[in-house]
């Protein structure tokens, strides 16, 4: 959905791709224009990465064509990338701007009176080539990459991915194509990338499971389903509303079609003479409508988390816990008591100690100071970052069953095949070897393998990585219904907002703090407190100036009561926003609430505006209180 007057960068027409019996693209077509900021969504295995590879020129379709504007510069971050092990971090990143470097090299090799000199200078200016080194340094810093001189051979998988992301963005191409760019990024790096894309001068196409990210940066959502594209104007929330309306309309149309067929079939059966010529048109209309295909209904995963066994009065208690790594203190004097029904999100920059805290809770690592007491009835189930090591030669059935015919679900048994079908494995995929599975299928298989173990204290380390949006929604619903304790490390802001009742935040400098509520509440509260206490540059000076100029008044009694109830009011509005977002995310939204779509969309927009107003008022009252106390 191009902006008026924007020129086309690329047009894909009649693309067909088929792997064995699976049709990935079926005469699919999509155009990308200069101002487009497209989020590409769809189930894992639907063909998103295949399509991106075609656009980037790394894969030829079975048929169809891609027409590109002359001189189009494309930057591409694939899921499976390769870095040059012979070059260091900085050299690999600079290769992403090879076309800019070549222009600069040619410019510097020419004499000043060369006829091409001015043409090259103009092109370099358009590409912002003279600031390339500064932009590389900024990207390395903001994306928490290793130093430019670091060797590629010694980097972790996450560090390599951040280097590859830097390489893709530094050249500021005409079209930037990003496949899961937020994987392995912490919240601060994601926030920088959001700001970068919000101000990006070119077009971009991004595949990501991060719904907060999609809401912030896109102006169009394109869904790839059944081999074709369906485009919706707006961000991810707008897409959920529009898709629900489209599905409701399709369902209504199918209902009308079935009613028509039922009436006409009764007429045909009642009146054999209807086959005479004078009634042929009615009979032809019947067969025409009968030949139409019904709208395809996507299957939804039925995620199974076995019911949590009862927890005791003590679940897990941490008292005065602290730990260091070498010379660096990760956290100290940390006290926390877990209780049944809590869903706690752990967030913070990479390397601050999130996984270390999990290992301390699990008893796999002893703290330097303090004590961890685990209740007698507490049973952990740990979904770690590395997940499970799957044997590529096992079938899907073997990977989950371990030779057993049933999976325990509370006090009952479920046949392994029936259990796997809840994770969208069909009969033929159940007997498929693991090495032939797509990335999304492997993620579903890993979840199935781990969650069958039950437990009442579920620990998830980056659970949203590699899951498609539909599966994420189902996982969130399952976690919301889980009656034990959920502890999740995640940088997925949307996930943290929807699932969590509290946030444990690693804030650097050994600070580990707890905040009741979801991530947005924690983030807004922290930013305002940092500003109020002068933690941002210039704020302390401004506060001191105000105090010198006049004695600020104290809060009135009414304002004091208002401030006391502000957090509860804010949480109430945020909960309502979450409820509506959950309704939009429900696969059965169009059946349950389709007639309320417009009203709900208006309500959520009004609630967001009210939330912004509440935060502004809270900041105003808090500033008065702090100034009066200072």
């Amino acid at each position: 959905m191009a902006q008026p007057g924007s020129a086309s960068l690329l047009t894909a027409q009649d693309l067909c791709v088929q792997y064995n019996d699976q049709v990935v693209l079926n005469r699919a077509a999509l155009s990308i224009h200069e101002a487009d900021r497209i989020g590409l969504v769809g189930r894992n295995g639907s063909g998103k990465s295949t399509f991106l590879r075609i656009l980037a020129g790394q894969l030829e379709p079975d048929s169809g064509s891609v027409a590109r504007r002359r001189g189009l510069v494309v930057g591409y971050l694939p899921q499976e990338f390769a870095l040059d092990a012979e070059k260091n971090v900085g050299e690999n990143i600079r290769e992403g701007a090879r076309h800019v470097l070549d222009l600069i090299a040619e410019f510097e090799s020419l004499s000043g009176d060369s006829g091409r000199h001015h043409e090259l200078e103009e092109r370099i200016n358009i590409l912002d080539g003279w600031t390339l080194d500064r932009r590389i340094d900024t990207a390395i810093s903001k994306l928490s990459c290793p130093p430019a001189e670091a060797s590629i051979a010694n980097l972790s998988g996450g560090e390599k991915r951040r280097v590859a992301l830097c390489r893709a963005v530094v050249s500021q191409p005409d079209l930037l194509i990003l496949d899961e760019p937020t994987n392995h990024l912490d919240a601060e790096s994601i926030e920088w990338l959001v700001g970068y894309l919000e101000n990006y001068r070119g077009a971009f196409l991004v595949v990501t499971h991060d719904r907060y990210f999609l809401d912030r940066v896109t102006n169009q959502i394109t869904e790839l389903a059944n081999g074709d594209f369906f485009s919706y104007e707006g961000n991810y929330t707008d897409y959920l509303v529009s898709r629900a309306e489209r599905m409701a309309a399709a369902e209504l149309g199918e209902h009308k079609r079935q009613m028509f067929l039922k009436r006409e079939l009764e007429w045909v059966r009642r009146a054999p003479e209807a086959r005479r010529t004078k009634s042929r048109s009615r009979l032809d209309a019947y067969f025409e409508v009968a030949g139409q295909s019904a709208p395809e209904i996507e299957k939804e995963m039925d995620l199974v988390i076995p019911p949590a066994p009862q927890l005791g009065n003590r679940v897990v208690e941490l008292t005065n816990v602290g730990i260091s790594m070498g010379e660096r203190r990760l956290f100290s004097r940390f006290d926390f008591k877990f209780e049944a029904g809590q869903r706690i999100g752990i967030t913070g920059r990479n390397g601050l100690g999130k996984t270390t805290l999990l290992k301390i809770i699990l008893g796999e690592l002893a703290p330097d100071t303090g004590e961890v007491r685990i209740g007698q009835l507490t049973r952990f189930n740990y979904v770690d970052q590395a997940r499970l090591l799957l044997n590529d030669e096992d079938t899907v059935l073997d990977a989950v069953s371990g030779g057993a015919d049933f999976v325990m679900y509370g006090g009952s048994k479920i046949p392994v095949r029936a259990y796997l079908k809840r994770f969208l494995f069909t009969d033929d995929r159940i007997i498929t070897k693991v090495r032939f599975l797509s990335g999304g299928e492997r993620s579903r298989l890993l979840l199935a393998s781990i969650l069958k173990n039950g437990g009442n204290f579920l620990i998830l380390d980056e659970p949203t990585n590699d899951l498609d949006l539909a599966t994420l929604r189902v996982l969130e619903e399952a976690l919301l219904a889980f009656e034990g304790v959920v502890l999740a490390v995640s940088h997925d802001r949307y996930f943290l907002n929807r699932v969590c009742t509290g946030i444990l935040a690693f804030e650097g400098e050994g600070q580990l703090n707890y905040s009741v509520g979801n991530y947005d509440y924690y983030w807004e509260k922290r930013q305002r407190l940092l500003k109020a206490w002068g933690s941002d540059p210039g704020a302390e000076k401004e506060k001191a100036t105000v105090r010198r100029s006049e004695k600020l008044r104290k809060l009135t009694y009414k304002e004091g009561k208002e401030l006391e109830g502000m957090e509860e009011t804010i949480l109430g509005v945020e909960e309502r926003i979450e409820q509506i977002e959950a309704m939009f995310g429900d696969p059965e939204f169009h059946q349950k609430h389709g007639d309320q779509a417009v009203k709900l969309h208006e309500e959520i927009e009004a609630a967001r505006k009210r939330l912004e107003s509440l935060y502004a008022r809270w900041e105003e009252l808090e500033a008065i209180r702090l100034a009066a106390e200072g």
Side-chain angles (χ1 to χ4, degrees):
M1 298 175 186
Q3 299 295 319
S6 61
S8 175
L9 298 178
L10 177 152
T11 300
Q13 290 184 318
D14 296 326
L15 295 183
C16 292
V17 174
Q18 184 169 340
Y19 297 118
N20 298 321
D21 295 331
Q22 183 183 6
V23 176
V24 176
L25 297 174
N26 185 18
R27 299 185 65 83
L30 184 69
S31 293
I32 301 177
H33 295 76
E34 285 180 335
D36 285 347
R37 298 160 179 258
I38 303 173
L40 180 61
V41 301
R43 290 191 179 278
N44 283 334
S46 63
K48 300 187 299 296
S49 294
T50 296
F51 177 64
L52 296 193
R53 291 179 63 200
I54 291 172
L55 294 190
Q58 295 188 1
L59 179 69
E60 288 294 324
D62 297 337
S63 62
S65 63
V66 178
R68 299 173 177 84
R69 188 177 74 180
R70 184 178 178 183
L72 180 70
V73 178
V74 177
Y76 177 42
L77 172 70
Q79 283 200 52
E80 302 296 331
F81 55 86
L83 298 174
D84 190 339
E86 301 299 318
K87 297 179 179 178
N88 62 27
V89 167
E91 290 167 339
N92 270 277
I93 292 173
R94 287 176 68 84
E95 281 303 307
R98 173 49 55 192
H99 63 290
V100 178
L101 296 173
D102 289 344
L103 289 173
I104 293 174
E106 183 181 356
F107 175 84
E108 292 176 343
S109 69
L110 296 176
S111 62
D113 58 357
S114 169
R116 183 163 163 73
H117 200 271
H118 177 70
E119 178 186 343
L120 287 171
E121 184 176 24
E122 185 176 0
R123 181 61 178 159
I124 293 169
N125 284 332
I126 291 174
L127 295 172
D128 203 12
W130 305 118
T131 65
L132 178 62
D133 289 337
R134 177 172 58 80
R135 286 188 282 111
I136 289 176
D137 291 341
T138 299
I140 287 175
S141 171
K142 295 297 185 180
L143 293 176
S144 302
C145 283
E149 63 275 8
S151 169
I152 291 294
N154 299 326
L155 304 186
S156 68
E159 289 172 328
K160 289 179 180 178
R161 184 160 187 84
R162 291 195 290 275
V163 171
L165 177 57
C166 273
R167 184 176 63 180
V169 304
V170 293
S171 64
Q172 299 185 162
D174 303 315
L175 174 60
L176 183 59
I177 300 174
L178 302 173
D179 198 349
E180 297 292 359
T182 63
N183 280 2
H184 303 290
L185 293 187
D186 56 43
E188 293 183 11
S189 296
I190 292 173
E191 197 66 29
W192 178 82
L193 184 58
V194 165
Y196 176 87
L197 293 178
E198 284 179 331
N199 296 295
Y200 193 66
R201 63 172 181 78
F204 60 79
L205 174 65
V206 58
V207 170
T208 180
H209 64 269
D210 191 325
R211 293 150 293 180
Y212 165 79
F213 187 83
L214 289 172
D215 257 348
R216 287 283 301 274
V217 304
T218 59
N219 60 17
Q220 174 182 330
I221 299 294
T222 296
E223 181 180 10
L224 177 54
N226 305 316
D228 204 357
F229 295 109
F230 301 89
S231 292
Y232 302 83
E233 188 173 355
N235 62 14
Y236 181 73
T237 300
D238 297 324
Y239 152 75
L240 290 178
V241 175
S242 299
R243 187 177 186 273
E245 292 172 346
R246 181 174 71 85
M247 297 296 288
E251 186 176 270
L252 178 60
E254 174 61 13
H255 176 71
K256 289 180 178 178
R257 188 177 77 94
Q258 292 297 335
M259 291 300 294
F260 171 82
L261 291 175
K262 183 179 179 180
R263 289 195 305 270
E264 294 302 287
L265 185 59
E266 290 175 354
W267 172 77
V268 168
R269 287 172 174 168
R270 265 198 332 265
E273 66 276 10
R275 293 175 175 79
R276 296 173 184 169
T277 304
K278 65 179 181 180
S279 300
R280 177 58 59 186
S281 60
R282 185 168 179 179
L283 201 58
D284 288 343
Y286 167 80
F287 285 116
E288 180 181 351
V289 174
Q292 296 172 359
S293 58
E296 188 163 343
I297 300 175
E298 291 187 352
K299 295 180 180 179
E300 294 291 340
M301 188 175 78
D302 185 10
L303 188 65
V304 177
I305 299 180
Q310 184 176 355
L311 285 160
N313 293 329
R314 174 184 293 153
V315 180
V316 175
E317 295 180 6
L318 291 83
T319 305
N320 199 37
V321 171
I323 192 167
S324 299
M325 288 294 176
E327 299 292 323
R328 187 162 61 95
R329 174 65 88 182
L330 296 182
F331 54 89
S332 59
R333 291 182 288 184
F334 178 61
D335 298 312
F336 196 79
K337 182 179 179 180
F338 288 95
E339 299 177 352
Q342 285 183 324
R343 298 185 298 276
I344 307 299
I346 301 181
T347 186
R349 295 196 311 274
N350 293 322
L352 293 182
K354 299 187 295 295
T355 301
T356 299
L357 176 61
L358 297 188
K359 290 182 178 180
I360 289 175
I361 292 171
L362 288 164
E364 297 177 1
L365 185 65
D368 296 339
T369 61
E371 180 184 13
V372 179
R373 293 189 290 177
I374 300 173
Q376 291 185 347
L377 299 180
T378 301
R379 300 290 180 268
F380 294 112
N381 190 352
Y382 181 30
V383 184
D384 68 351
Q385 248 178 340
R387 306 290 173 98
L388 289 173
L389 292 176
L390 294 173
N391 185 340
D392 283 349
E393 297 306 313
D394 279 347
T395 65
V396 170
L397 183 65
D398 294 335
V400 169
S401 70
D405 294 327
F406 298 93
V407 170
M408 292 304 300
Y409 182 74
S412 60
K413 295 180 179 179
I414 299 178
V416 177
R417 286 178 174 270
Y419 176 75
L420 285 168
K421 286 181 179 180
R422 297 189 179 206
F423 288 82
L424 295 185
F425 288 103
T426 56
D427 287 327
D428 61 321
R429 300 307 281 176
I430 286 174
I431 58 175
T432 299
K433 288 190 174 182
V434 170
R435 61 190 172 97
F436 294 119
L437 299 182
S438 68
E441 287 174 320
R442 289 180 73 97
S443 293
R444 295 204 307 272
L445 178 59
L446 287 166
L447 278 176
S449 301
I450 295 166
L451 295 178
K452 71 181 177 68
N453 297 325
N456 50 24
F457 196 120
L458 189 58
I459 298 180
L460 310 170
D461 199 351
E462 297 291 359
T464 63
N465 282 356
D466 303 318
L467 296 181
D468 58 39
L469 296 175
T471 304
L472 275 175
R473 290 196 296 269
V474 178
L475 173 62
E476 289 162 355
E477 290 295 331
L479 294 177
L480 288 170
F482 187 66
E483 295 181 353
V485 174
V486 176
L487 183 62
V489 175
S490 180
H491 301 305
D492 187 327
R493 189 161 173 170
Y494 200 105
F495 173 85
L496 293 171
N497 279 337
R498 189 169 183 210
V499 169
C500 294
T501 60
I503 300 294
L504 277 173
F506 284 79
E507 298 175 345
E509 305 298 328
Q511 295 296 312
L512 174 55
N513 295 311
Y514 178 67
S515 172
V516 176
N518 65 15
Y519 184 84
D520 274 354
Y521 179 64
Y522 155 73
W523 181 257
E524 294 288 345
K525 184 177 178 181
R526 174 167 168 74
Q527 296 308 304
R528 283 168 167 77
L529 285 176
L530 285 174
K531 184 176 181 181
W533 284 106
S535 296
D536 63 311
E540 185 62 40
K541 182 178 179 181
E542 179 183 347
K543 186 167 62 175
T545 301
V546 170
R547 286 176 181 167
R548 282 195 304 269
S549 64
E550 60 175 326
K551 288 286 185 181
L552 295 181
R553 67 176 178 85
K554 293 182 179 180
L555 291 172
T556 65
Y557 175 80
K558 183 178 179 181
E559 288 171 336
K561 299 300 290 183
E562 182 184 359
L563 182 58
E564 285 179 15
M566 189 65 75
E567 288 196 25
E568 185 177 348
T569 303
I570 289 174
L571 282 172
V573 176
E574 288 184 332
E575 286 174 2
R576 180 53 182 164
I577 291 173
E578 288 176 10
Q579 289 172 0
I580 299 175
E581 287 176 341
M583 292 168 69
F584 283 142
D586 187 347
E588 297 182 355
F589 174 85
H590 61 280
Q591 295 177 338
K592 299 177 181 177
H593 316 290
D595 58 339
Q596 303 177 51
V598 174
K599 182 180 178 181
L600 288 171
H601 186 60
E602 292 174 349
E603 182 181 350
I604 198 172
E605 288 303 316
R608 285 171 175 160
K609 290 179 180 178
R610 186 180 178 220
L611 187 63
E612 184 178 346
S613 175
L614 284 170
Y615 270 123
R617 178 61 173 164
W618 178 82
E619 181 180 355
E620 178 187 353
L621 295 176
E622 187 71 4
I624 294 172
R625 184 186 69 80
L626 290 171
E629 291 177 357

